[in-house]
Amino acid sequence: MLSEGGSFMKGMVMGGLFCLLLSLLGSFRPGTESKTEDHHHHHVKAPSKDELTRLSDSRVQELSNQVRVSCVIMVQPKVLVYWATALDTWSKHCDKAVFYTSESSKALEAIDLNEKDDWARLRKALTHAYENAGGLQWFFVAQATTFAIIENLKYLVLAKDPSEPFYLGNVMKSGELEYVTYDSGIVLSYEALKRLVHVFQDEDKCPERGRALWKMSEDKQLAVCLKYTGVFAENGEDAHGKGLFNSKGVNSLISESMKNNPNNVVEGCCSDMAVTFSGMSPNQMQVMMFGVYRLRPYGHDFHDSLVFNPPENSDND
Amino acid sequence: MRHTVSNLFFTTGMMLGFLSVRFLSDPNFSTEQVSYFMRAVKHEVKHGLQHVHTVKNESSADNSTHTTRILCWIMTGPNNLESRTKHIRETWAKRCNKVLYMSSVKTDFPTVELNVSEGRDNLYWKTIRAFQYVHQHHLDQADWFLKADDDTFVVMENLRYILSKYDPEKPLYLGRRFTPFIRQGYMSGGAGYVLSKEALRRFVTGFNTGECTHFSTIEDMALGKCMETMEVKPADSRDVKGRQTFHPYPPDHYLVRQPPRPRPWYLIYDHYTPVEGPGCCSDFVVSFHYIYAVELYVLEYLTYHLRPYGYHYRFNPDSDEEFNTTTMST
C-alpha cells in the first residue's frame, strides 16, 4: 500500500515538473515573433512636429499628394438622416467616398449591396472598394453615425507605407482578440485590404456567414480574418499617446473629463488631432463642421508642414 | 502484479500533477502581462513632444496689439459661482486684460458686491451699478468694456480683432443688434455687448445728470435707450462677408441647415436680415449664449484645440479681396 502511495506522489511531482518544463519551453518559442515583427506594436503614433521638419519640403509635398483616402461608408435607409448628414459633412473631405447600403433608397444614391447580414455586407463593400481602389492606398471604413476628420487621418498615416499592412483605429480587447471598434472607424492600408479580400475566399478561416453557434460582431470578425493573414489591430494615437479614434461624442468625452480632470478639463480630454467621434446627432455633426473647419481665434497660425485644400462645391467648411 | 499497480499509480499521479500545475498557471496570464507591460514601457518612453501650436494665449492677453485692452465684467450671482462662473474663469475669462465678476455678494471667488439683490428684475440695476463701479475703479485700465452673462462663451481674440478697427475714444458700442422698441435699436444682453471708453463715460454721465434712468427692468433694451439718449452709436459687428459674430443662442440654433422659411422666434428681433445655415456665422465668432459648463468646455476645445491638420482655411479677412458692401444688408 505504502509503495503505491509513494509511486503516486512521485508521479505527481514528475507530472508537475514536466508541465512547468513545457510551459517554460513554450515561452521561448522563436518562430511566432519574427513573422509579425514590424506590426505587432500595439499602437501607431502620428508623426511629431520634429519628425516632419526633418523631412525635406519636396518629400513632404510628395507625401501629402500620396496620402489619399478612400472612404467606405456603410449606410441604411432606416438612418436616412445620418446618411444625408455624412454626405453633406465629413465625407466631402475624402478623396473618394462611396456609400454602400443594405437596400436602396429613393432619396439618396448608394451602391446597393442588397444584403441584410451586416458581416456579409461589409465583406462585399470591402471587396468592391478593393477592386475599385483606383490607385488610392488608404481606406477608411465607417458607418454614417461616425464623424471623421480626414485631414487628421492623413496626418496619422502620412509617414506610413501603405504597401505594409496597417489596421488602425480604437483598439479593444475581447478575450485574446484585439480588434478595432467599428463605431470609431477602421483604417486599412492597401496591403491590409488586399490580404483581407484574399482571405475572404477561405471559408474555414473567414466564413461568410460567420461561426455557427453565435454571431460575432463584424468588427471582431474582421479582426479574426485579418489575424490569419498576419495583420494585427493597432491603436491610433497622437504624438503624446492620446487616442485619436473615439467611440463617444465630444460632449460625452468632455463630461467625463470634467469628472476625471476637473482642473484640466480640455487638456485631459481629447486629442487636438482627433480623427473620429461617434454617437453624435446629425445636428451636432453640422455644428462640428463649423467647429472643426471654421471656428478659430484670429491670430493663431500653425505653420503646418502640409497643406490640404478645402473640397470643391462645399459651403460648410 | 504489484509492479503494474505501482506504475498505474505513478502514471495517474503524473497526469494529476501535470493538470494541476497547468490549471494554476493560467495560459492567458502571461501574454496579457507582457502586452500591458510593453504598453506601459512605451508610454514612459514617450517624450514631451512639442504641441503644434505656435501661438499660445493662455495668460492675460498683454501681448496683443497696442491698444485693444478689454475689461470683461460678468453678470453672476452666488448661486451660479460653482455651476457656471467657475468654468468661465477656467476658460475664456483668462483672455480678458481684466476680468470682474459682478454679484450681489462679495466673496473670495472673487466677486464684486454691487449692493443690488439678485433676480431677473434687478438685472438693469446690476448693470448700472456694475458700469459705475468699473468707471470709478478701472476706467484707465482698458479701452473697451465687455458685459457678458455667466452663460456666455466669448472668443476674446476675435473680439479684439473687430475692435482694432474702431477708436475707443469714439462713442460707440457693439453686439448683436436688435431692432424693436428703440429707434436706433439695441444690443442683445445675452450675446454680450461692448462699450468704448467714451460710451462708458457717457453712460455714467447720463445717470449722474438724470438723462438716463432705470425706467425699465429689461436690461439690454434699457441700456440701448440710454445709449441713444447719450448719442452713442451702435456699430456693425458683422465680418466682411456680413456674417454675425455675436450670438444670443447656442450654435445649433444658427448653423443647422433649414429650408427657406419665415424667421423663427429667436431671429425675429434681428436688425440685419439673418441667414440660417452655414452662412449665419463668421469663422471668427465672438460669442454664443445659453452655454453651460459642458458646452463651455466643448466650445473651448473646438475653438482652441481641435483642428484639421494642414487645412487651408477658406476665409481670410486680411486678403486683398474687395470689400463687397452690397452683401451686407442694412
Side-chain angles (χ1 to χ4, degrees):
Chain A
M1 203 52 163
L2 200 66
S3 62
E4 278 97 331
S7 293
F8 184 89
M9 289 311 292
K10 272 187 230 164
M12 264 201 68
V13 171
M14 290 301 291
L17 284 171
F18 189 56
C19 181
L20 279 171
L21 190 71
L22 277 183
S23 53
L24 268 165
L25 283 174
S27 62
F28 279 118
R29 239 178 308 152
T32 43
E33 283 300 307
S34 54
K35 190 166 81 166
T36 54
E37 19 122 7
D38 277 350
H39 307 293
H40 207 17
H41 309 309
H42 292 275
H43 44 223
V44 163
K45 282 194 166 152
S48 68
K49 201 172 159 77
D50 287 338
E51 283 175 58
L52 286 182
T53 44
R54 262 182 255 137
L55 298 171
S56 70
D57 281 348
S58 58
R59 178 76 185 125
V60 169
Q61 192 52 47
E62 247 180 78
L63 290 174
S64 66
N65 289 333
Q66 274 174 25
V67 64
R68 294 187 304 143
V69 175
S70 177
C71 294
V72 176
I73 308 171
M74 309 298 290
V75 296
Q76 294 178 59
K78 72 180 184 197
V79 284
L80 198 69
V81 70
Y82 280 100
W83 179 346
T85 305
L87 194 58
D88 182 43
T89 60
W90 62 268
S91 72
K92 291 188 279 191
H93 291 249
C94 306
D95 295 279
K96 178 171 156 183
V98 183
F99 289 76
Y100 296 91
T101 180
S102 55
E103 50 180 305
S104 62
S105 159
K106 289 201 194 80
L108 294 167
E109 273 183 37
I111 295 187
D112 183 1
L113 298 172
N114 202 20
E115 176 63 70
K116 285 278 152 53
D117 181 74
D118 294 331
W119 170 234
R121 196 163 72 247
L122 182 60
R123 288 171 56 120
K124 285 187 181 173
L126 290 170
T127 307
H128 183 272
Y130 173 70
E131 287 167 358
N132 296 279
L136 296 175
Q137 302 279 298
W138 291 98
F139 299 84
F140 175 63
V141 189
Q143 297 156 306
T145 45
T146 303
F147 183 88
I149 303 168
I150 300 297
E151 288 79 4
N152 290 346
L153 172 52
K154 292 187 178 186
Y155 179 56
L156 173 65
V157 301
L158 183 65
K160 313 284 184 282
D161 182 359
S163 63
E164 298 283 334
F166 283 98
Y167 164 44
L168 316 172
N170 173 38
V171 175
M172 295 287 276
K173 209 169 158 95
S174 171
E176 287 261 17
L177 181 72
E178 285 195 344
Y179 66 100
V180 171
T181 58
Y182 201 177
D183 57 5
S184 43
I186 305 170
V187 180
L188 294 166
S189 66
Y190 184 82
E191 176 61 24
L193 183 59
K194 178 174 165 190
R195 293 191 192 183
L196 181 66
V197 167
H198 282 102
V199 83
F200 282 163
Q201 319 293 348
D202 190 329
E203 266 296 304
D204 290 318
K205 292 191 179 140
C206 193
E208 185 163 4
R209 296 293 148 178
R211 304 275 157 204
L213 285 176
W214 69 90
K215 236 186 145 186
M216 223 186 340
S217 59
E218 315 89 281
D219 44 10
K220 289 182 191 144
Q221 300 254 32
L222 197 71
V224 169
C225 294
L226 278 166
K227 210 169 170 182
Y228 277 117
T229 71
V231 182
F232 296 85
E234 293 176 285
N235 203 43
E237 296 167 5
D238 67 11
H240 306 273
K242 266 196 195 158
L244 294 171
F245 296 83
N246 297 290
S247 287
K248 298 184 183 159
V250 181
N251 288 49
S252 296
L253 292 164
I254 289 283
S255 282
E256 272 177 27
S257 191
M258 284 175 72
K259 292 193 190 87
N260 300 332
N261 320 288
N263 295 322
N264 219 353
V265 176
V266 177
E267 303 273 351
C269 171
C270 334
S271 175
D272 287 13
M273 315 307 289
V275 178
T276 60
F277 296 99
S278 185
M280 299 184 79
S281 73
N283 282 3
Q284 285 176 323
M285 294 200 211
Q286 291 197 50
V287 174
M288 280 296 274
M289 286 303 280
F290 176 75
V292 171
Y293 290 104
R294 295 172 54 202
L295 175 64
R296 60 199 186 280
Y298 179 81
H300 287 215
D301 296 310
F302 293 101
H303 310 297
D304 292 334
S305 307
L306 310 173
V307 175
F308 295 122
N309 285 319
E312 316 239 313
N313 306 318
S314 180
D315 65 351
N316 57 0
D317 52 18
Chain B
M1 182 63 160
R2 202 187 274 163
H3 223 60
T4 337
V5 176
S6 269
N7 276 343
L8 198 66
F9 269 73
F10 183 85
T11 322
T12 318
M14 202 168 97
M15 273 162 45
L16 207 67
F18 189 97
L19 285 170
S20 38
V21 175
R22 178 104 180 109
F23 255 113
L24 286 170
S25 56
D26 179 3
N28 279 338
F29 193 67
S30 47
T31 44
E32 283 285 288
Q33 274 288 38
V34 171
S35 53
Y36 218 67
F37 182 68
M38 266 170 66
R39 205 168 295 192
V41 167
K42 279 182 180 161
H43 273 241
E44 266 166 56
V45 161
K46 87 173 184 261
H47 308 293
L49 293 168
Q50 287 173 315
H51 221 294
V52 188
H53 254 152
T54 50
V55 177
K56 270 197 155 148
N57 249 342
E58 243 71 282
S59 55
S60 71
D62 288 320
N63 56 343
S64 63
T65 53
H66 22 260
T67 23
T68 323
R69 297 172 304 162
I70 306 176
L71 181 149
C72 308
W73 72 263
I74 301 189
M75 174 91 83
T76 187
N79 292 344
N80 291 348
L81 294 181
E82 266 300 297
S83 54
R84 298 190 192 179
T85 327
K86 185 173 83 169
H87 305 296
I88 291 191
R89 189 176 56 182
E90 290 296 310
T91 55
W92 64 266
K94 292 183 287 198
R95 304 182 185 105
C96 304
N97 295 84
K98 174 92 190 144
V99 61
L100 297 167
Y101 301 97
M102 302 296 191
S103 176
S104 55
V105 175
K106 183 175 154 85
T107 66
D108 290 335
F109 184 84
T111 53
V112 171
E113 182 179 337
L114 291 177
N115 204 18
V116 176
S117 317
E118 295 299 328
R120 200 171 174 76
D121 282 350
N122 288 333
L123 286 176
Y124 193 38
W125 277 122
K126 282 175 91 173
T127 302
I128 295 164
R129 295 286 175 253
F131 274 124
Q132 286 170 331
Y133 178 90
V134 167
H135 180 269
Q136 182 175 7
H137 299 277
H138 300 284
L139 186 64
D140 296 324
Q141 288 172 26
D143 311 298
W144 298 90
F145 302 85
L146 170 76
K147 175 261 173 181
D149 285 349
D150 54 18
D151 54 358
T152 307
F153 174 75
V154 181
V155 185
M156 293 301 297
E157 292 88 341
N158 294 344
L159 180 57
R160 266 192 199 92
Y161 176 60
I162 291 179
L163 295 178
S164 66
K165 306 196 194 303
Y166 293 99
D167 180 358
E169 294 299 333
K170 292 258 166 32
L172 35 90
Y173 78 131
L174 292 93
R176 177 77 167 226
R177 194 167 172 188
F178 282 171
T179 326
F181 316 126
I182 314 292
R183 192 198 314 259
Q184 73 171 16
Y186 64 97
M187 303 304 179
S188 154
Y193 50 77
V194 57
L195 272 59
S196 68
K197 190 189 291 246
E198 179 58 24
L200 175 58
R201 288 192 194 108
R202 292 193 186 194
F203 181 77
V204 171
T205 303
F207 276 90
N208 287 341
T209 62
E211 286 164 282
C212 295
T213 62
H214 183 279
F215 74 98
S216 163
T217 57
I218 305 174
E219 173 247 340
D220 46 11
M221 189 271 291
L223 184 130
K225 180 69 187 168
C226 181
M227 294 288 100
E228 185 178 75
T229 304
M230 304 308 291
E231 295 185 349
V232 175
K233 295 277 167 264
D236 188 351
S237 58
R238 296 177 301 164
D239 71 10
V240 295
K241 289 195 161 185
R243 300 177 304 193
Q244 293 277 10
T245 54
F246 288 76
H247 303 278
Y249 290 95
D252 61 350
H253 280 58
Y254 305 97
L255 287 162
V256 174
R257 291 193 198 275
Q258 302 290 348
R261 59 178 188 172
R263 290 198 197 187
W265 61 272
Y266 52 87
L267 294 177
I268 295 256
Y269 283 0
D270 270 17
H271 175 88
Y272 302 108
T273 309
V275 172
E276 294 203 87
C280 65
C281 315
S282 178
D283 290 19
F284 299 116
V285 148
V286 171
S287 71
F288 286 111
H289 180 227
Y290 293 117
I291 305 297
Y292 305 111
V294 174
E295 295 82 48
L296 203 63
Y297 290 113
V298 168
L299 283 168
E300 178 86 1
Y301 173 63
L302 295 179
T303 309
Y304 294 96
H305 293 263
L306 181 63
R307 66 187 189 87
Y309 185 81
Y311 189 64
H312 186 212
Y313 295 104
R314 287 188 200 273
F315 180 56
N316 179 5
D318 303 323
S319 70
D320 298 324
E321 290 166 27
E322 324 92 75
F323 184 132
N324 189 355
T325 43
T326 58
T327 62
M328 293 168 65
S329 58
T330 40

